[in-house]
């Protein structure tokens, strides 16, 4: 894999600056639950913040992966992306809820990565976050298996304008490269959405290269 390249650092910086212009399981329990059960339960219809939210499996990145996401999440507009992600290395796919307070980005980077290198990659990403971000709290990090594949993850809080942002970032190897997925929401919505973000992470699937997307949604 080699040393972490500048692109990865810029991606992380851009992702965690999200919304600066604008409870879940503890570490050991989350890790052990994923390892023993394979996934955390995510219902197709959930009551969140007094609103019924429908979830469905959604193929992304030209059907390379799928994740269960709220049906209300839509692709962020170009103007909003330019304001919230000033870096030239902004994620190519950013999904957001109708309020713009809950966001999920997906980026298949140019950095080479294999499943066997995932633990070292996760450690490097954690090092970058600790040395480039103004972290106000660090909740959890680790490597687990989701559908038989290694997935690295970390959860932390960062400051933003008039609020703080809860972040969950997770990583996997896809087609020999590093896949970076980043979820964030405002601190006010963390209690509701942190356990949901954890569960969405455990629905990540790497789709067969020749498989045709069966979902009704695709990018």
């Amino acid at each position: 894999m080699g040393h972490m390249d500048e692109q990865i650092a810029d991606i992380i910086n851009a992702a965690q600056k999200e919304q600066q212009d604008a409870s879940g399981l503890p570490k050991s329990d989350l890790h052990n639950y994923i390892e023993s059960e394979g996934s955390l339960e995510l219902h197709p219809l959930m009551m969140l913040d007094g609103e019924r939210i429908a979830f469905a499996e959604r193929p992304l990145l030209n059907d390379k992966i799928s994740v269960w996401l709220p049906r209300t999440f839509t692709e962020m507009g170009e103007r909003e992306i330019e304001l919230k992600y000033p870096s030239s290395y902004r994620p190519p796919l950013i999904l957001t809820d109708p309020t713009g307070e809950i966001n999920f980005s997906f980026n298949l980077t140019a950095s080479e990565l294999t499943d066997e290198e995932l633990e070292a990659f996760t450690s490097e990403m954690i090092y970058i976050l600790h040395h480039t971000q103004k972290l106000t709290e660090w909740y959890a990090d680790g490597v687990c298996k989701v559908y038989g594949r290694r997935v690295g993850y970390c959860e932390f809080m960062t400051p933003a304008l008039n609020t703080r942002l809860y972040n969950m970032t997770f990583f996997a190897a896809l087609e020999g490269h590093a896949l970076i997925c980043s979820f964030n929401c405002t601190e006010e919505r963390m209690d509701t959405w942190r356990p949901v973000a954890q569960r969405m992470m455990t629905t990540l699937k790497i789709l067969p290269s020749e498989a045709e997307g069966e979902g009704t949604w695709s990018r």
Side-chain angles (χ1 to χ4, degrees):
M1 177 180 62
H3 294 292
M4 193 66 58
D5 59 28
E6 293 183 0
Q7 182 188 19
I8 295 293
D10 284 339
I11 289 168
I12 289 294
N13 283 328
Q16 308 317 329
K17 287 178 181 177
E18 165 73 14
Q19 291 191 356
Q20 289 187 10
D21 298 320
S23 160
L25 296 169
K27 173 182 176 180
S28 58
D29 290 343
L30 173 61
H31 179 85
N32 292 336
Y33 198 114
I34 293 171
E35 290 289 347
S36 63
E37 303 294 336
S39 67
L40 297 171
E41 188 174 8
L42 185 67
H43 297 286
L45 189 64
M46 300 180 69
M47 182 67 73
L48 302 172
D49 292 332
E51 180 181 0
R52 292 186 184 276
I53 304 293
F55 287 76
E57 185 175 9
R58 180 168 179 172
L60 302 166
L61 302 179
N62 295 320
D63 296 340
K64 295 180 186 296
I65 66 170
S66 70
V67 179
W68 277 69
L69 296 169
R71 287 185 176 272
T72 54
F73 277 27
T74 57
E75 197 164 343
M76 187 177 290
E78 288 296 328
R79 183 177 180 182
E80 191 173 14
I81 290 175
E82 290 176 0
L83 291 173
K84 294 185 176 185
Y85 292 83
S87 170
S88 60
Y89 293 119
R90 63 178 61 93
L93 177 59
I94 306 165
L95 303 175
T96 187
D97 80 321
T99 69
E101 295 180 351
I102 304 169
N103 304 281
F104 218 144
S105 67
F106 302 86
N107 193 355
L108 180 57
T109 72
S111 294
E112 296 182 357
L113 180 67
T114 66
D115 191 59
E116 291 73 20
E117 296 169 329
L118 198 281
E119 290 191 29
F121 180 89
T122 300
S123 295
E124 288 193 58
M125 294 298 287
I126 291 170
Y127 178 87
I128 288 174
L129 288 167
H130 276 291
H131 287 80
T132 64
Q133 299 301 311
K134 296 179 180 179
L135 305 173
T136 58
E137 289 187 60
W138 189 270
Y139 296 109
D141 60 75
V143 175
C144 59
K145 283 192 175 181
V146 177
Y147 295 110
R149 290 179 177 268
R150 289 185 178 89
V151 175
Y153 65 90
C154 52
E155 298 179 89
F156 52 93
M157 189 78 79
T158 55
L161 185 62
N162 298 323
T163 186
R164 297 194 302 168
L165 295 179
Y166 162 74
N167 302 265
M168 166 173 265
T169 299
F170 54 97
F171 331 102
L174 174 59
E175 298 182 345
H177 294 276
L179 171 69
I180 300 180
C181 308
S182 296
F183 172 93
N184 65 52
C185 68
T186 57
E187 182 179 18
E188 292 76 13
R189 308 190 73 170
M190 173 184 168
D191 286 347
T192 297
W193 282 92
R194 182 186 181 193
V196 177
Q198 294 170 342
R199 285 153 175 79
M200 288 193 291
M201 179 186 71
T202 68
T203 67
L204 173 68
K205 290 182 181 179
I206 307 299
L207 301 179
S209 58
E210 296 181 0
E212 295 182 0
E214 298 179 356
T216 57
W217 292 352
S218 63
R219 192 183 174 202

